Amino acid sequence: MDFKSVALGAGGLAALSADALLLVVAGTSIPNDVDAVVAPVLRDAVKSGDLELKAGRTLYVHRPSGLKVQRLVLAVAADDSAKSFKTAAAAGLAALKGLGVVHLAVAQVGSSRLTESHAEALASAVADAVYVYRHTKPSAPGAPRLAKVSLACSKTDATTVTVGLRRGSAVASGVELARECANRPANHATPTFLAEQARALARQHGFKVQVLDLAAVKKLGMGSFMAVAQGSEEPLKFIVLQYEGAAKTQAPVVLVGKGITFDTGGISIKPAPEMDEMKFDMSGAASVLGAFKALGELKPRVNVVGLIPACENMPGGRAVKPGDVVKSMSGQTIEILNTDAEGRLILCDALTYAERFKPAAVIDIATLTGACVIALGHHHSGLFTPDDELAEDLLQAAKRSLDPAWRMPLDEEYADALKSNFADMGNVGGRAGGSITAAMFLKKFTARYRWAHLDIAGTAWKSGVHKGATGRPVPLLVHYVLSQAR
Ligand code: BES
Ligand code: MN
Ligand code: ZN
């Protein structure tokens, strides 16, 4: 998709040439700054009752008089925020679905405010509107013909808008890659496939990449990661990606993504209903790949390492059993009381591996617990960190990228639940505060650096008729990393 800013000339909106104009009306009363040609159309639409000035409402106008464009869609936004702009743009795009629009112009009336965030939000709404999963369904409805989007703005805003569109476009390609990887069924998206994706990204953008196999992982002493993988015939992979955008002396941000390509639960097997959705259990890994895709396009001055422990969690003759004790790379022993709490078992070894990069901060991203879905639902990702400053930075990134996260508690008291009579810790802490005890488990492996954990179990994918990956939290991650660039 080609995103451009277009500075409005003396002719205003009437002179815009495109296949369609999507006009976002900011606010729920007729604004008085409306372009002289558009004003009568808008007033008429409202007066006739065809357009209610209520957030999310749209009206399609064919061959609007006085305008050069042949198609006009009015879309009402609650206010002039970037978030409302995105919602309205999405509604407008839905109204254009199936039409032959190749070049779409977008503008806003009711506010002169078009910030970087507005431009970025538009890129994201467009990318969402045109994404179609087809890898294993080539018969899926034809891709929209939309190829170019121009955001009309004042001359003074043109630079700002261009910067926002560029960032939005990069984030959107990252989101798209994450969705594409996560949507693929587990017989396609294997650990080997994830490693190939990482290699392809490295080739395209000049990243360093390393893929460790079982022998290498064994040598490192990743007994916990290996225990999860041992029930599957599918070989494990430990993926290391490195983006070097700053001096080597600059400590990197390390992103660690849970890469369980299918989670049956193992011997502590999951019930059959919805088990198919456990193909999305590598969404953390997919978000790391997506973030790297965006970094490759934006090339910010920052160093970033991506770590992805990838394997399947399967029952089998060689599978790890409840009560088995394993030794993690950190040297700490773990009693595996529930083989379905496997995410933390693969992440803990990756977190220990992260120490070697002397990181500025380590963020792990994981579809870790059903308990997080119960706590926060599908809107906010769960954010866990003992570091207030890191929490602030990540919450800022979440706000700015319209990819919300909510901080959860992490008091030491919660660690009591992980006590074991047979190892340094158990891998589960009971039902109460399940997302917190999971985070407390990870915390035991993060003493040597600043660390945060994102539980994306409720936000990485949708269930039901719109079943599919969302690409979250790629926007949050990219914004955080950009905020660390200098
Ligand atoms: N991948 C799941 C978490 C999950 C469950 C994500 C449902 C999205 C929807 C994770 O590996 C898991 O099975 N966690 C267990 C932990 C429990 C055994 C302590 C869970 O949440 O039930
Ligand atoms: Mn599990
Ligand atoms: Zn899992």
Side-chain angles (χ1 to χ4, degrees):
M1 190 69 57
D2 187 13
F3 292 103
K4 289 236 158 55
S5 68
V6 48
L8 284 171
L13 295 172
L16 269 182
S17 75
D19 299 321
L21 170 62
L22 195 178
L23 193 63
V24 174
V25 183
T28 45
S29 58
I30 294 185
N32 35 27
D33 70 331
V34 184
D35 185 286
V37 179
V38 172
V41 182
L42 181 57
R43 279 210 195 89
D44 204 53
V46 173
K47 204 167 143 208
S48 62
D50 294 337
L51 180 69
E52 200 184 341
L53 287 177
K54 212 172 143 189
R57 293 298 169 93
T58 62
L59 181 69
Y60 177 83
V61 186
H62 203 59
R63 296 182 185 269
S65 66
L67 268 77
K68 205 164 166 192
V69 291
Q70 299 290 292
R71 307 174 183 92
L72 171 67
V73 172
L74 301 167
V76 184
D79 50 44
D80 67 357
S81 68
K83 186 180 170 196
S84 301
F85 185 68
K86 183 176 176 178
T87 312
L93 286 158
L96 286 165
K97 200 175 167 184
L99 305 186
V101 176
V102 178
H103 176 197
L104 175 69
V106 181
Q108 178 179 246
V109 291
S111 164
S112 53
R113 246 180 28 137
L114 268 185
T115 63
E116 283 182 22
S117 303
H118 286 76
E120 192 175 339
L122 174 65
S124 150
V126 169
D128 268 357
V130 301
Y131 176 79
V132 183
Y133 173 81
R134 41 177 85 256
H135 188 70
T136 49
K137 191 185 177 184
S139 66
R145 291 164 59 193
L146 193 60
K148 183 176 173 186
V149 176
S150 305
L151 179 50
C153 60
S154 66
K155 274 204 182 71
T156 42
D157 283 346
T159 318
T160 309
V161 165
T162 305
V163 170
L165 287 174
R166 175 168 180 263
R167 188 167 59 227
S169 165
V171 169
S173 355
V175 165
E176 190 193 347
L177 177 67
R179 292 178 78 176
E180 193 55 35
C181 287
N183 279 336
R184 292 205 187 180
N187 61 329
H188 291 244
T190 58
T192 306
F193 167 85
L194 293 180
E196 279 163 11
Q197 289 293 306
R199 283 209 178 92
L201 269 179
R203 234 179 294 121
Q204 282 165 28
H205 300 286
F207 305 141
K208 281 192 193 161
V209 65
Q210 225 184 326
V211 178
L212 310 185
D213 62 5
L214 178 62
V217 158
K218 191 168 188 173
K219 212 164 152 196
L220 286 164
M222 293 186 172
S224 185
F225 176 28
M226 282 160 54
V228 175
Q230 78 192 32
S232 170
E233 297 287 324
E234 202 59 62
L236 67 75
K237 300 288 168 193
F238 188 89
I239 304 163
V240 185
L241 263 174
Q242 279 175 274
Y243 165 70
E244 283 169 2
K248 281 198 171 37
T249 49
Q250 207 65 237
V253 171
V254 179
L255 303 177
V256 182
K258 172 178 172 182
I260 293 291
T261 57
F262 197 79
D263 181 12
T264 64
I267 297 300
S268 315
I269 199 160
K270 288 183 181 293
E274 278 108 56
M275 202 208 269
D276 66 290
E277 294 189 8
M278 284 301 129
K279 72 173 183 177
F280 295 120
D281 212 17
M282 35 60 77
S283 296
S287 75
V288 172
L289 294 174
F292 268 77
K293 175 87 202 161
L295 290 178
E297 291 187 12
L298 292 170
K299 300 252 181 282
R301 293 169 175 282
V302 57
N303 293 328
V304 187
V305 176
L307 300 178
I308 298 175
C311 69
E312 286 183 340
N313 185 22
M314 298 283 282
R318 300 222 54 85
V320 73
K321 304 169 292 297
D324 283 2
V325 174
V326 298
K327 190 171 181 180
S328 68
M329 185 178 171
S330 72
Q332 299 176 93
T333 56
I334 304 162
E335 184 185 13
I336 300 180
L337 290 162
N338 188 321
T339 66
D340 197 11
E342 85 298 338
R344 59 198 82 180
L345 295 173
I346 70 169
L347 289 169
C348 71
D349 282 341
L351 288 169
T352 301
Y353 187 86
E355 288 174 4
R356 68 185 55 207
F357 300 100
K358 301 193 171 48
V362 178
I363 322 284
D364 78 71
I365 310 102
T367 48
L368 203 64
T369 64
C372 192
V373 189
I374 302 302
L376 295 176
H378 302 287
H379 185 57
H380 286 97
S381 300
L383 166 63
F384 303 77
T385 176
D387 187 313
D388 291 342
E389 197 186 319
L390 185 53
E392 208 38 60
D393 287 353
L394 285 162
L395 290 173
Q396 272 287 338
K399 267 223 167 73
R400 270 193 260 119
S401 60
L402 304 180
D403 186 0
W406 193 265
R407 190 174 181 186
M408 298 281 282
L410 210 52
D411 307 66
E412 216 38 60
E413 283 81 351
Y414 288 104
D416 290 348
L418 296 169
K419 288 198 168 117
S420 158
N421 291 344
F422 304 103
D424 293 330
M425 68 195 86
N427 77 326
V428 290
R431 279 165 53 81
S435 69
I436 308 169
T437 51
M440 287 309 290
F441 177 95
L442 296 176
K443 186 168 174 283
K444 291 178 182 292
F445 300 84
T446 62
R448 304 228 157 88
Y449 46 68
R450 299 170 71 213
W451 159 79
H453 156 62
L454 288 168
D455 194 330
I456 57 166
T459 53
W461 76 85
K462 291 186 172 132
S463 307
V465 273
H466 296 296
K467 192 190 288 183
T470 60
R472 290 179 65 186
V474 170
L476 187 167
L477 295 175
V478 175
H479 272 256
Y480 172 71
V481 169
L482 292 180
S483 77
Q484 301 306 299
R486 45 204 100 220

